[in-house]
């Protein structure tokens, strides 16, 4: 699965979590500026674990790896292919 | 118009806690939002607007009764009534310290339930060229996020400047959700198993032995550089956006240091952390849409707790624990509220843990001004049930972090309270 496809799915998911339209989610923006808090972040990580089988929490949450939707998508893709 | 609204399980827990607090201290289960405004608020204009605005919410005139299926419902009046909301003015000297203002704010929220039907109230505290506007709300009707939405709506109404009351607000219907009971029973099993595992950590509970304890708030507003440094440290140690688990871990560390200093055997820690489950903020202003994550730190285990608390957060969401709590509490609705209050102080006390927390929110940042006065800062000040009697809360406002330590008198002595605040500041701000 390509990073673009993952990014589209993650954008949709985060839009659902934040009750906004997917167009309102800037994929490059830091997640905290979108209104994501601890609970919403954990919901995203649980979604990623269920959907793609990647446990980013166990992999070590480095800020640069998970700080935006685009970064999350890249992290998921690299861990799925490695 | 919907005249009845079924109460969910968390609503009933809050109703039980209302009775529990009344039985212990004679106070209601209140919480408060406080806004620090730059300038003097026109109290007469504000009072008139509040009465008109509140009249659009028949839910504020309601009360809890049993429905025909025995599930509790919130019953609202048939005819629209004029709302009577208390809006009081208090004046402090111009040189009043922040501690004196906090004490006054604490007196505004720690009040007896008062006249039936009054579930909200406002206090405007004037000092120098500032107004502290406090919005007190009954937890049976609002959770913290709901109260933020209510006051945001009120401020929009004030800004519109209309003399007409807003249209009557319809409460969305809620199903009784009595069946399938087996699903709730299975959720209950999950909850009991989690709590049983956590009891193995031998958590200690601080408890007030005073018969009529008073309530105490300490607000610790951090400036922007302090907040940024703290949040970055939290993200480094607990993971990106894991501020809530990190704060929980720092509080356990500060408490542990305090107990060790006093030569008291340090126990384990169980921390119920409430978290918002609402999906639609427009419709879900009233009643409770929160659930819980339980963080647990067994006695004597040392390393890497920020990450371990983050992991516990993740695992409990993965296991659906917030939804299991929500489902399981629905079964508790059969218990009469006064009896439920006693159970929460007695056999169910272990649910309370060592101290209470809530997921750190940023909802108040949406409020930039009130009646043309700039909002300089905004705080959450939640009261607590007698068990655990100690709470540690935080919210962010415009990039700044505000901390709030709450406790009943007798849970911590004055000296312990002061010492704990010093230790917390040291833990959080990394002071030597």
């Amino acid at each position: 699965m390509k990073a673009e496809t993952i990014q589209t799915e993650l954008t949709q998911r985060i839009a659902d979590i934040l009750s906004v339209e997917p167009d309102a989610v800037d994929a490059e923006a830091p997640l905290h500026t979108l209104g994501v808090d601890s609970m919403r972040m954990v919901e995203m990580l649980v979604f990623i674990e269920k959907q793609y089988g990647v446990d980013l929490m166990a992999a070590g949450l480095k800020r640069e790896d998970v700080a935006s939707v685009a970064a999350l998508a890249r992290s998921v893709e690299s861990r799925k292919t490695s | 118009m919907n005249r009845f609204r079924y109460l969910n399980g968390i609503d009933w827990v809050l109703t039980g806690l209302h009775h529990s607090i009344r039985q212990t201290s004679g106070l209601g289960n209140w919480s408060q939002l406080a806004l620090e405004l730059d300038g003097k608020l026109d109290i007469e204009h504000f009072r008139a607007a509040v009465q008109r605005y509140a009249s659009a919410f028949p839910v504020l005139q309601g009360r809890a009764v049993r429905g025909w299926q025995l599930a509790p419902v919130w019953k609202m009046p048939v005819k629209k009534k004029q709302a009577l909301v208390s809006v009081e003015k208090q004046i402090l000297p111009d040189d009043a310290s922040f501690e004196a203002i906090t004490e006054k704010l604490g007196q505004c929220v720690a009040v007896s339930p008062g006249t039936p039907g009054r579930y909200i109230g406002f206090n405007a505290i004037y000092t120098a060229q500032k107004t502290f506007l406090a919005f007190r709300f009954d937890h049976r009707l609002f959770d913290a996020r709901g109260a933020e939405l209510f006051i945001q709506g009120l401020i929009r109404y004030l800004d519109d400047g209309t003399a007409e009351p807003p249209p009557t607000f319809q409460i969305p219907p809620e199903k009784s959700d009595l069946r399938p009971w087996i699903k709730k029973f299975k959720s209950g099993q999950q909850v009991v198993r989690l709590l049983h595992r956590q009891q193995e950590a031998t958590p200690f509970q601080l408890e007030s032995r005073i018969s009529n304890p008073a309530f105490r708030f300490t607000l610790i507003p951090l400036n922007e550089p302090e907040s940024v440094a703290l949040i970055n440290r939290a993200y480094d140690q607990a993971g990106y956006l894991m501020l809530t688990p990190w704060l929980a871990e720092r509080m356990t560390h500060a408490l542990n240091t305090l107990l060790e200093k006093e030569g008291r055997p340090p126990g384990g820690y169980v921390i119920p952390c409430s978290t918002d489950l609402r999906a639609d903020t427009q419709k879900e202003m009233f009643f409770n849409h929160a659930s819980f994550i339980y963080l647990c730190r067994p006695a004597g285990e040392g390393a890497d707790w920020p990450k371990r608390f983050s992991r516990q957060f993740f695992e409990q969401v993965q296991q659906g624990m917030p939804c299991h709590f929500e489902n399981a509490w629905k079964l508790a609705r059969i218990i009469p509220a006064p009896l439920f209050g006693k159970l929460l102080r007695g056999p169910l006390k272990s649910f309370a843990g060592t101290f209470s927390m809530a997921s750190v929110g940023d909802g108040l940042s949406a409020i930039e001004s009130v009646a043309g006065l700039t909002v300089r800062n905004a705080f959450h000040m939640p009261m607590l049930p007698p068990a655990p009697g100690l709470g540690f809360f935080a919210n962010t406002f415009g990039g700044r972090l505000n901390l709030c330590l709450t406790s009943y008198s007798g849970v911590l002595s004055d000296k312990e309270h002061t010492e704990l605040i010093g230790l917390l500041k040291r833990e959080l701000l990394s002071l030597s």
Side-chain angles (χ1 to χ4, degrees):
Chain A
M1 192 179 272
K2 286 187 175 174
E4 294 84 58
T5 314
I6 298 169
Q7 184 172 313
T8 306
E9 289 177 0
L10 293 182
T11 302
Q12 180 62 54
R13 180 63 191 159
I14 212 149
D16 290 346
I17 288 173
L18 297 172
S19 303
V20 296
E21 293 298 320
D23 293 348
V25 177
D26 177 352
E28 297 293 342
L31 293 176
H32 64 272
T33 63
L34 301 177
V36 178
D37 58 13
S38 306
M39 183 65 186
R40 308 284 178 246
M41 184 65 187
V42 166
E43 283 178 26
M44 274 302 284
L45 295 173
V46 168
F47 171 77
I48 287 168
E49 198 269 336
K50 284 187 178 159
Q51 186 81 357
Y52 310 111
V54 175
D55 185 347
L56 286 178
M57 178 77 85
L61 276 176
K62 279 190 188 158
R63 191 168 175 167
E64 59 272 20
D65 294 340
V66 292
S68 65
V69 174
L72 274 171
R74 287 192 294 271
S75 296
V76 171
E77 190 205 25
S78 67
R79 281 167 178 81
K80 269 184 82 72
T81 51
S82 62
Chain B
M1 191 179 102
N2 294 325
R3 281 187 57 217
F4 298 96
R5 193 262 191 197
Y6 282 102
L7 297 179
N8 65 38
I10 301 291
D11 290 327
W12 203 238
V13 172
L14 270 299
T15 303
L17 290 175
H18 168 82
H19 283 269
S20 175
I21 296 174
R22 257 178 90 167
Q23 288 154 1
T24 316
S25 61
L27 306 173
N29 187 10
W30 298 102
S31 190
Q32 184 166 268
L33 306 179
L35 308 177
E36 180 185 338
L37 310 180
D38 213 359
K40 303 261 183 187
L41 181 71
D42 178 347
I43 191 80
E44 294 308 326
H45 173 64
F46 181 76
R47 183 180 284 130
V50 165
Q51 305 302 347
R52 286 197 305 274
Y53 181 71
S55 296
F57 300 94
V59 63
L60 294 173
Q61 321 270 341
R63 64 195 170 93
V65 296
R66 287 276 173 196
W68 67 273
Q69 291 169 307
L70 290 181
V73 295
W74 193 258
K75 186 182 175 189
M76 290 161 269
V78 184
K79 288 184 182 171
K80 198 172 172 177
K81 290 184 189 172
Q82 177 64 42
L84 283 171
V85 179
S86 156
V87 180
E88 290 173 21
K89 178 179 176 177
Q90 324 234 14
I91 297 171
L92 288 179
D94 281 358
D95 59 353
S97 64
F98 188 72
E99 287 72 27
I101 296 165
T102 306
E103 191 181 341
K104 183 59 86 179
L105 286 168
Q107 289 164 6
C108 295
V109 62
V111 296
S112 61
T115 315
R118 291 195 178 189
Y119 299 106
I120 59 173
F122 291 86
N123 281 273
I125 300 170
Y126 296 90
T127 175
Q129 284 305 309
K130 279 184 180 177
T131 308
F132 284 81
L133 179 65
F135 169 45
R136 179 182 72 235
F137 56 92
D138 191 315
H139 257 315
R140 288 172 295 176
L141 266 190
F142 291 101
D143 57 22
R145 185 76 188 110
E148 287 175 351
L149 295 168
F150 184 82
I151 199 162
Q152 281 170 27
L154 169 63
I155 290 164
R156 274 197 303 273
Y157 178 70
L158 265 170
D159 289 344
D160 283 349
T162 174
E164 291 297 312
T168 302
F169 183 85
Q170 295 286 338
I171 295 288
E174 174 94 6
K175 288 178 183 167
S176 65
D177 205 8
L178 294 166
R179 287 190 298 267
W181 69 269
I182 190 73
K183 190 178 158 199
K184 295 168 189 54
F185 182 76
K186 285 185 174 170
S187 284
Q189 279 183 322
Q190 295 294 326
V191 167
V192 169
R193 280 177 194 154
L194 175 80
L195 295 176
H196 183 71
R197 278 199 303 276
Q198 300 201 330
Q199 288 307 305
E200 290 168 6
T202 58
F204 71 85
Q205 284 188 315
L206 297 158
E207 197 173 350
S208 178
R209 302 197 189 283
I210 298 173
S211 61
N212 200 12
F215 205 76
R216 174 165 45 189
F217 291 94
T218 303
L219 291 175
I220 311 170
L222 304 184
N223 61 32
E224 207 170 332
E226 286 172 338
S227 304
V228 169
L230 183 153
I231 290 168
N232 282 333
R233 207 149 60 88
Y235 292 175
D236 286 344
Q237 293 179 5
Y240 180 53
L241 291 174
M242 294 297 126
L243 180 58
T244 305
W246 187 81
L247 287 172
E249 195 277 338
R250 291 291 85 187
M251 175 68 172
T252 60
H253 207 259
L255 258 179
N256 217 46
T257 309
L258 177 72
L259 295 172
E260 277 181 349
K261 263 183 155 181
E262 294 183 339
R264 290 160 75 173
Y269 299 86
V270 171
I271 308 146
C273 179
S274 69
T275 188
D276 185 22
L277 291 186
R278 61 169 48 69
D280 189 332
T281 52
Q282 296 308 309
K283 291 179 185 163
E284 294 171 342
M285 185 194 300
F286 288 93
F287 301 101
N288 289 278
H289 306 275
S291 190
F292 300 97
I293 298 282
Y294 272 70
L295 302 174
C296 174
R297 178 177 178 167
E301 287 191 31
D304 210 14
W305 275 101
K307 282 211 165 60
R308 286 162 84 172
F309 272 180
S310 298
R311 186 75 204 171
Q312 289 180 15
F313 228 81
F314 174 80
E315 284 173 354
Q316 287 184 38
V317 173
Q318 191 183 38
Q319 290 157 11
M321 287 314 297
C323 293
H324 285 313
F325 273 102
E326 191 184 27
N327 278 331
W329 282 121
K330 283 178 182 162
L331 289 176
R333 290 179 297 172
I334 197 68
I335 307 170
L339 175 61
F340 197 23
K342 281 186 183 162
L343 291 174
L344 288 168
R345 280 192 291 132
L348 297 177
K349 204 165 66 178
S350 59
F351 279 94
T354 313
F355 61 89
S356 288
M357 276 194 80
S359 195
V360 181
D362 187 41
L364 290 173
S365 289
I367 306 174
E368 291 177 354
S369 67
V370 177
L373 306 180
T374 304
V375 180
R376 289 281 168 216
N377 207 346
F379 311 90
H380 275 276
M381 300 176 71
M383 286 191 63
L384 285 175
L390 179 67
F392 179 50
F393 302 92
N395 73 290
T396 53
F397 181 82
R400 293 165 58 188
L401 190 67
N402 294 310
L403 309 166
C404 180
L405 185 72
T406 65
S407 67
Y408 280 99
S409 56
V411 169
L412 296 172
S413 68
D414 288 349
K415 186 173 165 257
E416 286 172 330
H417 190 88
T418 310
E419 202 155 337
L420 181 59
I421 289 164
L423 286 166
L424 254 177
K425 281 183 179 167
R426 250 197 299 278
E427 292 289 346
L428 298 174
L429 301 174
S430 200
L431 304 171
S432 55

